Amino acid sequence: MSILADESSDAGSIPGQSRLESYLFSCELSSEVPFYTFQADEDEDLEHFLELRTVCLGEGAKEEYNIIEVTAMNYQGKKTSVPVASLHISRLPMVSLGGFELMAPVTLRLKSGTGPVTISGMHLVASENDESDLSDDEEELEEELEPIKPAKKKQKL
């Protein structure tokens, strides 16, 4: 699957390729809310991805280690859990994950510590473009365009 990163616009969509829309994502984990599950919509024509960018301790974090674990599917379709950050208020209050991309469903869990820990990134939605996705305006524009004919050469006398 090829992806066009057009940031939520229809301009330049090419039939037969995917269009990628991106939305801001954020959640906060704490002792009161120790996990968050990122789910996909039931629409079969869309693929949902979660791209994790930063994990940081929030105001009021204690002098303790906060370990964040991600549970998602591996390439074999089996659930796997991996710690992605170990934060401490006086040593490492924030970490950049640099675009850690996972396919939904994804569960983020505060495995150790009381937080608060804010996880941010992008919710990416990939959809297939096909001929039926063209709007009425685009179809009218295609009908109005006529082929360009080469100019006739003038003969010298």
Side-chain angles (χ1 to χ4, degrees):
M1 166 173 66
S2 61
I3 295 179
L4 298 174
D6 65 356
E7 300 298 321
S8 303
S9 72
D10 291 331
S13 293
I14 299 172
Q17 290 189 335
S18 293
R19 189 181 85 205
L20 183 66
E21 296 178 0
S22 58
Y23 303 95
L24 186 62
F25 168 82
S26 179
C27 73
E28 185 177 279
L29 305 178
S30 65
S31 56
E32 290 83 35
V33 183
F35 70 92
Y36 175 84
T37 301
F38 173 79
Q39 297 282 350
D41 292 337
E42 296 297 320
D43 191 345
E44 294 176 11
D45 295 338
L46 302 176
E47 291 184 35
H48 294 264
F49 299 91
L50 181 60
E51 183 179 293
L52 301 177
R53 300 251 175 115
T54 60
V55 181
C56 64
L57 290 172
E59 187 176 341
K62 298 176 184 174
E63 286 283 334
E64 63 185 0
Y65 281 97
N66 290 272
I67 299 174
I68 294 77
E69 179 180 75
V70 173
T71 302
M73 297 288 182
N74 66 11
Y75 75 98
Q76 297 172 331
K78 296 178 182 177
K79 282 188 176 183
T80 186
S81 297
V82 177
V84 293
S86 179
L87 305 176
H88 194 280
I89 194 68
S90 63
R91 293 179 182 92
L92 186 64
M94 181 182 133
V95 66
S96 174
L97 298 174
F100 187 59
E101 191 174 304
L102 302 161
M103 185 180 286
V106 177
T107 299
L108 307 164
R109 185 166 75 103
L110 184 58
K111 186 173 181 178
S112 171
T114 57
V117 176
T118 301
I119 302 169
S120 63
M122 301 299 289
H123 173 184
L124 306 172
V125 181
S127 60
E128 290 293 323
N129 288 329
D130 58 14
E131 293 294 333
S132 63
D133 287 345
L134 294 176
S135 69
D136 292 337
D137 295 337
E138 290 172 328
E139 288 176 2
E140 288 174 13
L141 180 62
E142 285 182 358
E143 291 173 4
E144 291 174 9
L145 296 176
E146 294 181 20
I148 299 173
K149 296 178 183 175
K152 292 182 181 178
K153 293 184 178 179
K154 291 185 181 180
Q155 292 182 346
K156 292 184 181 179
L157 296 175

